[in-house]
């Protein structure tokens, strides 16, 4: 329930061909930067501006003058990057997305229609189609003891081999305000996270993650 096929409709990202080469989404994290540079070089200059080396912004995107776009990155069509957003680099932002005020992105793939609109940190993560992170919700991408991240589901543990891994959010996931998604979090398609949650491990598809870590199936 945590493979790329389980989590994502690949028709909603420019990274589709790249992601098809992997089974688990975290396997794709190491190559995001090189993928963006390769993909950017294929983009039409009739459709994309290039304000800096290895930075491509669709002509229909709206980028606030106070936003920072670090290389490499791609900003898709009709996406809005709001004031004081900090795109550190290695960020593929899809079509119709919202990257809000004081949001920081680093080594991420945002599928089309993703919203990270207020005070979010998203690092070493992949956010699926129409996923939404409420105000102040964060991905934590490094364990406090600096050991390698493990994805846990019940008694099962899958080694990622990664020191840095944030969250893998499936399509249509809703994350409540001020929640923390701990390293190695995977949230299945269509699931909801209650506000103020501290999430670990795998949340199955079409579930509700409630206060205290209680998980129930949607009815």
């Amino acid at each position: 329930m945590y493979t790329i096929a389980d989590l994502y409709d690949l028709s909603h990202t420019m990274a589709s061909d790249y992601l098809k080469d992997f089974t688990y989404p975290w396997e794709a994290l190491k190559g995001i930067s090189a993928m963006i540079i390769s993909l950017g070089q294929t983009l039409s200059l009739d459709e994309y501006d290039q304000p800096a080396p290895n930075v491509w912004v669709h002509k229909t995107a709206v980028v606030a003058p106070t936003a920072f776009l670090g290389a490499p990155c791609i900003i898709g069509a009709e996406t809005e990057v709001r004031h004081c957003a900090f795109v550190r680099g290695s960020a593929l932002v899809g079509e119709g997305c919202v990257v809000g005020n004081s949001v920081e992105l680093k080594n991420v793939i945002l599928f089309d229609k993703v919203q990270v609109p207020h005070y979010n940190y998203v690092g070493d993560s992949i956010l699926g189609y129409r996923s939404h992170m409420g105000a102040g919700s964060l991905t934590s991408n490094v364990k406090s003891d600096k050991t390698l991240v493990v994805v846990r589901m019940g008694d099962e543990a899958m080694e990622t081999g990664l020191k840095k891994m944030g969250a893998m959010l499936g399509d249509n996931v809703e994350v409540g305000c001020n929640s923390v998604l701990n390293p190695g979090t995977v949230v299945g398609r269509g699931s909801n996270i209650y506000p103020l949650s501290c999430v670990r491990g795998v949340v199955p598809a079409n579930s509700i993650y409630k206060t205290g870590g209680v998980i129930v199936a949607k009815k």
Side-chain angles (χ1 to χ4, degrees):
M1 70 175 55
Y2 38 60
T3 67
I4 288 173
D6 293 327
L7 293 169
Y8 305 116
D9 179 349
L10 295 183
S11 67
H12 294 295
T13 178
M14 296 173 67
S16 175
D17 290 341
Y18 173 71
L19 291 172
K20 287 177 182 177
D21 290 337
F22 304 99
T23 300
Y24 301 105
W26 54 86
E27 296 173 330
L29 293 177
K30 288 184 177 180
I32 288 177
S33 180
M35 178 270 292
I36 291 171
I37 293 172
S38 178
L39 180 59
Q41 292 170 349
T42 70
L43 299 177
S44 169
L45 294 180
D46 292 333
E47 297 182 11
Y48 285 82
D49 294 322
Q50 195 170 1
N54 293 328
V55 174
W56 293 270
V57 179
H58 198 277
K59 293 181 184 294
T60 62
V62 177
V63 179
T66 56
F68 176 84
L69 302 181
C73 74
I74 296 173
I75 306 298
E78 298 182 348
T79 282
E80 182 180 359
V81 182
R82 294 176 178 166
H83 286 282
C84 298
F86 180 29
V87 180
R88 284 171 54 186
S90 299
L92 173 57
V93 181
E95 298 182 0
C97 295
V98 175
V99 179
N101 59 301
S102 304
V103 168
E104 181 177 347
L105 302 180
K106 173 254 180 185
N107 200 47
V108 296
I109 296 173
L110 273 55
F111 278 53
D112 299 341
K113 305 293 186 181
V114 167
Q115 293 190 350
V116 283
H118 312 286
Y119 306 106
N120 309 105
Y121 171 70
V122 186
D124 300 286
S125 299
I126 300 176
L127 276 54
Y129 177 63
R130 286 190 181 277
S131 59
H132 171 262
M133 294 184 65
S137 59
L138 310 170
T139 65
S140 175
N141 60 340
V142 180
K143 296 173 65 176
S144 59
D145 61 6
K146 306 301 188 292
T147 57
L148 300 181
V149 177
V150 176
V151 175
R152 299 185 183 278
M153 180 175 176
D155 294 330
E156 297 181 7
M158 179 171 289
E159 301 283 347
T160 69
L162 300 172
K163 183 179 178 181
K164 293 186 177 183
M165 174 190 164
M168 306 290 127
L169 303 187
D171 297 338
N172 296 293
V173 164
E174 290 281 343
V175 178
C177 295
N178 291 319
S179 293
V180 176
L181 308 178
N182 284 279
T185 295
V186 180
V187 183
R189 296 185 194 220
S191 288
N192 291 62
I193 307 298
Y194 266 24
L196 300 174
S197 294
C198 183
V199 186
R200 298 180 185 276
V202 177
V203 179
N206 299 308
S207 298
I208 301 174
Y209 188 101
K210 294 188 173 185
T211 303
V214 176
I215 301 175
V216 299
K218 284 185 175 181
K219 295 181 180 180

